[in-house]
Amino acid sequence: MPQTSLQPKQVELVEASYQRCAERPEFYTTFYELFLASDPRIPPMFAGTKFERQHRLLRHALGLLIIYAKRENPALLERIAVRHNRHDVGAPPELYPKFIDAMVDALERHDPGFTPELGDAWRRVMAPGVAYMQARY
Ligand code: HEM
Protein backbone atom coordinates (compact mmCIF):
# COMPACT_ATOMS: atom_id res chain seq x y z
CA MET A 1 0.00 0.00 0.00
CA PRO A 2 1.48 3.42 -0.88
CA GLN A 3 2.40 5.58 2.06
CA THR A 4 0.12 8.58 2.53
CA SER A 5 1.05 10.50 5.68
CA LEU A 6 4.37 11.71 7.03
CA GLN A 7 5.84 9.33 9.63
CA PRO A 8 7.53 10.64 12.85
CA LYS A 9 10.54 8.49 11.92
CA GLN A 10 10.88 10.42 8.65
CA VAL A 11 10.92 13.74 10.50
CA GLU A 12 13.67 12.36 12.77
CA LEU A 13 15.72 11.28 9.75
CA VAL A 14 15.35 14.72 8.21
CA GLU A 15 16.26 16.55 11.43
CA ALA A 16 19.46 14.49 11.71
CA SER A 17 20.28 15.20 8.06
CA TYR A 18 19.64 18.93 8.60
CA GLN A 19 22.09 18.84 11.55
CA ARG A 20 24.73 17.28 9.31
CA CYS A 21 24.31 19.70 6.39
CA ALA A 22 23.05 23.02 7.73
CA GLU A 23 26.48 24.32 8.77
CA ARG A 24 28.23 23.35 5.52
CA PRO A 25 28.66 26.32 3.16
CA GLU A 26 29.25 23.96 0.23
CA PHE A 27 25.78 22.47 0.70
CA TYR A 28 24.17 25.87 -0.03
CA THR A 29 26.62 26.63 -2.84
CA THR A 30 25.67 23.36 -4.54
CA PHE A 31 21.97 23.91 -3.91
CA TYR A 32 21.94 27.36 -5.55
CA GLU A 33 24.09 26.15 -8.46
CA LEU A 34 21.61 23.36 -9.16
CA PHE A 35 18.52 25.47 -8.52
CA LEU A 36 19.65 28.33 -10.76
CA ALA A 37 20.62 25.89 -13.52
CA SER A 38 17.24 24.13 -13.35
CA ASP A 39 15.24 26.80 -15.20
CA PRO A 40 16.21 29.87 -17.25
CA ARG A 41 13.70 32.01 -15.36
CA ILE A 42 15.58 31.58 -12.09
CA PRO A 43 19.06 33.17 -12.54
CA PRO A 44 17.72 36.67 -13.31
CA MET A 45 15.69 36.52 -10.10
CA PHE A 46 18.91 36.15 -8.10
CA ALA A 47 20.94 38.69 -10.09
CA GLY A 48 21.37 41.05 -7.14
CA THR A 49 21.57 38.43 -4.40
CA LYS A 50 24.26 38.44 -1.72
CA PHE A 51 24.67 34.69 -1.40
CA GLU A 52 26.42 34.69 1.95
CA ARG A 53 23.34 36.27 3.52
CA GLN A 54 21.05 34.10 1.39
CA HIS A 55 22.67 30.90 2.68
CA ARG A 56 21.99 31.99 6.25
CA LEU A 57 18.36 32.83 5.50
CA LEU A 58 17.82 29.53 3.69
CA ARG A 59 19.30 27.60 6.61
CA HIS A 60 16.75 29.26 8.89
CA ALA A 61 13.88 28.68 6.43
CA LEU A 62 14.69 24.97 6.09
CA GLY A 63 14.41 24.72 9.86
CA LEU A 64 11.00 26.39 9.66
CA LEU A 65 9.83 23.97 6.94
CA ILE A 66 10.72 21.06 9.23
CA ILE A 67 8.82 22.58 12.16
CA TYR A 68 5.86 23.34 9.89
CA ALA A 69 5.74 19.68 8.78
CA LYS A 70 5.24 18.68 12.42
CA ARG A 71 2.51 21.21 13.06
CA GLU A 72 1.06 23.31 10.25
CA ASN A 73 1.12 26.72 11.91
CA PRO A 74 0.87 29.30 9.09
CA ALA A 75 2.47 32.02 11.25
CA LEU A 76 5.78 30.19 10.89
CA LEU A 77 5.90 30.70 7.13
CA GLU A 78 3.92 33.91 6.81
CA ARG A 79 6.88 36.22 6.27
CA ILE A 80 8.59 33.89 3.78
CA ALA A 81 5.35 33.28 1.88
CA VAL A 82 4.69 37.02 1.50
CA ARG A 83 8.31 37.56 0.38
CA HIS A 84 7.79 35.04 -2.46
CA ASN A 85 4.33 36.06 -3.59
CA ARG A 86 3.38 37.79 -6.82
CA HIS A 87 3.80 41.23 -5.26
CA ASP A 88 7.40 40.70 -4.15
CA VAL A 89 9.88 38.10 -5.46
CA GLY A 90 7.14 36.48 -7.54
CA ALA A 91 8.26 32.85 -7.30
CA PRO A 92 5.92 30.95 -9.68
CA PRO A 93 4.27 27.94 -7.98
CA GLU A 94 5.37 25.65 -10.81
CA LEU A 95 9.04 26.30 -9.96
CA TYR A 96 8.81 24.90 -6.44
CA PRO A 97 9.39 21.30 -7.64
CA LYS A 98 12.74 22.56 -9.02
CA PHE A 99 13.55 23.89 -5.56
CA ILE A 100 12.75 20.48 -4.03
CA ASP A 101 14.73 18.52 -6.63
CA ALA A 102 17.78 20.78 -6.25
CA MET A 103 17.55 20.44 -2.48
CA VAL A 104 17.44 16.63 -2.55
CA ASP A 105 20.25 16.57 -5.11
CA ALA A 106 22.42 18.86 -2.91
CA LEU A 107 21.66 16.69 0.12
CA GLU A 108 22.66 13.58 -1.79
CA ARG A 109 26.01 15.20 -2.57
CA HIS A 110 26.76 16.62 0.88
CA ASP A 111 25.04 14.44 3.48
CA PRO A 112 27.26 11.41 4.20
CA GLY A 113 24.16 9.71 5.63
CA PHE A 114 22.10 10.14 2.46
CA THR A 115 19.93 7.23 1.30
CA PRO A 116 17.00 7.11 -1.16
CA GLU A 117 14.76 6.66 1.89
CA LEU A 118 16.14 9.91 3.35
CA GLY A 119 15.56 11.73 0.07
CA ASP A 120 11.96 10.57 0.14
CA ALA A 121 11.64 11.71 3.78
CA TRP A 122 12.96 15.18 2.84
CA ARG A 123 10.41 15.45 0.03
CA ARG A 124 7.59 14.57 2.39
CA VAL A 125 8.80 17.00 5.03
CA MET A 126 9.14 19.90 2.58
CA ALA A 127 5.79 19.22 0.89
CA PRO A 128 3.40 20.90 3.38
CA GLY A 129 5.43 24.14 3.62
CA VAL A 130 5.91 24.26 -0.15
CA ALA A 131 2.16 23.73 -0.67
CA TYR A 132 1.47 26.62 1.69
CA MET A 133 3.87 28.94 -0.15
CA GLN A 134 2.44 27.94 -3.52
CA ALA A 135 -1.07 28.61 -2.29
CA ARG A 136 -0.05 32.07 -1.07
CA TYR A 137 1.37 33.11 -4.45
C1 HEM B 1 10.21 26.12 0.02
C2 HEM B 1 10.85 26.79 -0.92
C3 HEM B 1 11.64 28.05 -0.63
C4 HEM B 1 12.21 28.50 0.52
C5 HEM B 1 12.23 27.81 1.87
C6 HEM B 1 12.82 29.77 0.23
C7 HEM B 1 13.49 30.56 1.14
C8 HEM B 1 13.90 31.86 0.92
C9 HEM B 1 14.35 32.78 1.93
C10 HEM B 1 14.49 32.46 3.40
C11 HEM B 1 14.64 33.94 1.33
C12 HEM B 1 15.15 35.22 1.97
C13 HEM B 1 13.98 36.13 2.27
C14 HEM B 1 14.42 37.48 2.75
O1 HEM B 1 15.05 38.23 2.01
O2 HEM B 1 14.12 37.81 3.91
C15 HEM B 1 14.36 33.78 -0.07
C16 HEM B 1 14.53 34.75 -1.03
C17 HEM B 1 14.33 34.55 -2.36
N1 HEM B 1 13.80 33.44 -2.95
FE1 HEM B 1 13.21 31.77 -2.03
N2 HEM B 1 12.63 30.06 -1.10
C18 HEM B 1 11.91 29.03 -1.66
C19 HEM B 1 11.53 28.92 -2.96
C20 HEM B 1 11.86 29.81 -3.94
C21 HEM B 1 11.55 29.64 -5.33
C22 HEM B 1 10.77 28.44 -5.91
C23 HEM B 1 12.06 30.72 -5.98
C24 HEM B 1 12.06 31.08 -7.44
C25 HEM B 1 11.53 30.40 -8.39
C26 HEM B 1 12.68 31.57 -4.99
C27 HEM B 1 13.30 32.76 -5.23
C28 HEM B 1 13.76 33.64 -4.29
C29 HEM B 1 14.32 34.95 -4.59
C30 HEM B 1 14.49 35.57 -5.96
C31 HEM B 1 14.66 35.53 -3.37
C32 HEM B 1 15.26 36.92 -3.13
C33 HEM B 1 16.75 36.86 -3.10
C34 HEM B 1 17.34 38.20 -2.71
O3 HEM B 1 16.90 38.81 -1.74
O4 HEM B 1 18.28 38.61 -3.39
N3 HEM B 1 12.53 30.98 -3.77
N4 HEM B 1 13.91 32.49 -0.30
Side-chain angles (χ1 to χ4, degrees), residues 1 8 10 13 20 27 32 37 44-45 52 73 75 80 90 94-96 100 102 112 121 126 130-131:
M1 202 172 77
Q10 292 179 304
L13 284 175
R20 290 189 293 269
F27 162 64
Y32 278 108
M45 299 177 72
E52 210 172 295
N73 172 8
I80 297 177
E94 74 268 19
L95 289 183
Y96 281 82
I100 294 172
M126 287 190 280
V130 165

Side-chain angles (χ1 to χ4, degrees), residues 1 44 47 51 55 59 71 73 82 87-88 101 109 112 115:
M1 202 172 77
F51 279 98
H55 292 179
R59 183 185 64 189
R71 178 167 173 269
N73 172 8
V82 169
H87 306 294
D88 196 341
D101 287 345
R109 294 180 201 200
T115 59

Side-chain angles (χ1 to χ4, degrees), residues 32 35 42 45-46 48-50 53-54 57-58 61-62 65 79-80 83-84 89-92 95-96 99 129-130 133:
Y32 278 108
F35 184 46
I42 301 177
M45 299 177 72
F46 286 96
T49 299
K50 302 266 186 297
R53 172 176 182 272
Q54 187 66 21
L57 295 173
L58 181 61
L62 281 180
L65 285 183
R79 216 182 68 86
I80 297 177
R83 177 79 168 114
H84 288 78
V89 157
L95 289 183
Y96 281 82
F99 179 100
V130 165
M133 289 174 68

Side-chain angles (χ1 to χ4, degrees), residues 11-131:
V11 180
E12 280 170 35
L13 284 175
V14 165
E15 283 172 334
S17 170
Y18 178 74
Q19 295 303 329
R20 290 189 293 269
C21 292
E23 301 303 325
R24 298 184 182 207
E26 59 288 5
F27 162 64
Y28 302 98
T29 305
T30 298
F31 165 73
Y32 278 108
E33 269 173 23
L34 294 168
F35 184 46
L36 268 68
S38 71
D39 190 284
R41 284 170 285 176
I42 301 177
M45 299 177 72
F46 286 96
T49 299
K50 302 266 186 297
F51 279 98
E52 210 172 295
R53 172 176 182 272
Q54 187 66 21
H55 292 179
R56 218 172 49 241
L57 295 173
L58 181 61
R59 183 185 64 189
H60 176 66
L62 281 180
L64 293 180
L65 285 183
I66 296 171
I67 299 170
Y68 185 83
K70 294 193 273 192
R71 178 167 173 269
E72 298 190 11
N73 172 8
L76 287 171
L77 297 179
E78 170 67 17
R79 216 182 68 86
I80 297 177
V82 169
R83 177 79 168 114
H84 288 78
N85 76 15
R86 70 181 81 234
H87 306 294
D88 196 341
V89 157
E94 74 268 19
L95 289 183
Y96 281 82
K98 307 277 194 187
F99 179 100
I100 294 172
D101 287 345
M103 188 55 68
V104 174
D105 208 339
L107 288 159
E108 182 166 9
R109 294 180 201 200
H110 294 289
D111 182 357
F114 189 88
T115 59
E117 181 195 13
L118 176 63
D120 182 52
W122 264 104
R123 288 177 187 278
R124 286 176 181 281
V125 163
M126 287 190 280
V130 165

